[in-house]
Amino acid sequence: MNSTACFPVIHDEVKELFHKLQGLQDTEKQINSEIVDNINQIKSHLIRAEDARYYNGEDVIKYHNEMMATNEDLVKNYKIRLANTTEIQLALRRIHGILYNASRLRAGTFASAMINRFKEALKTNNIEAVLKII
């Protein structure tokens, strides 16, 4: 027996969680690109410091200080990335909690079919499909 139910508070929460997840994923991409840039800068500073050590010892300290500053930026970006990842995990846990509660409203094959459709909608970031499935 098919049935329909409307949960406006849950719908609003799901929309909010999806928008939050999209923002967090965009931030994660940006942070990852900054981390890659920092790693490449550190490599460049290291090579320059080695060359300066070989040719003249005066610029070694300059390149070492630049490398240390870039390394500090790298550590800051890792901390931001960690906090961002934690927020993503919390949002995903809440979405999966909503999925669990929605699946408990159905029994047997209907519950497993709903979970499969929900997972497919999550993969494609289709908010409207998720709201229909719930």
Side-chain angles (χ1 to χ4, degrees), residues 73-87:
D73 290 341
L74 183 65
V75 170
K76 288 177 189 175
N77 284 335
Y78 273 123
K79 288 179 181 178
I80 293 170
R81 183 171 140 190
L82 178 65
N84 190 42
T85 302
T86 304
E87 285 188 43

Side-chain angles (χ1 to χ4, degrees), residues 80-96:
I80 293 170
R81 183 171 140 190
L82 178 65
N84 190 42
T85 302
T86 304
E87 285 188 43
I88 288 173
Q89 288 175 346
L90 290 174
L92 286 174
R93 280 186 192 145
R94 181 61 190 135
I95 288 174
H96 286 287

Side-chain angles (χ1 to χ4, degrees), residues 42-102:
I42 288 173
K43 288 178 184 178
S44 173
H45 293 314
L46 182 63
I47 291 170
R48 288 181 185 167
E50 287 294 321
D51 289 344
R53 184 181 63 87
Y54 182 71
Y55 293 116
N56 60 3
E58 299 169 3
D59 293 336
V60 173
I61 295 172
K62 175 183 133 184
Y63 291 124
H64 184 267
N65 288 338
E66 288 176 4
M67 187 171 53
M68 293 298 290
T70 306
N71 193 41
E72 288 174 6
D73 290 341
L74 183 65
V75 170
K76 288 177 189 175
N77 284 335
Y78 273 123
K79 288 179 181 178
I80 293 170
R81 183 171 140 190
L82 178 65
N84 190 42
T85 302
T86 304
E87 285 188 43
I88 288 173
Q89 288 175 346
L90 290 174
L92 286 174
R93 280 186 192 145
R94 181 61 190 135
I95 288 174
H96 286 287
I98 292 170
L99 168 65
Y100 175 74
N101 289 336

Side-chain angles (χ1 to χ4, degrees), residues 5-49:
C6 183
F7 303 102
V9 174
I10 298 298
H11 282 223
D12 293 340
E13 185 178 0
V14 168
K15 284 182 183 178
E16 181 182 321
L17 286 170
F18 264 94
H19 291 300
K20 183 179 179 179
L21 271 175
Q22 288 174 348
L24 289 171
Q25 289 171 344
D26 292 341
T27 303
E28 184 178 31
K29 288 178 186 176
Q30 180 183 3
I31 290 171
N32 286 339
S33 68
E34 288 176 9
I35 287 173
V36 169
D37 289 342
N38 286 343
I39 289 172
N40 289 333
Q41 286 177 355
I42 288 173
K43 288 178 184 178
S44 173
H45 293 314
L46 182 63
I47 291 170
R48 288 181 185 167

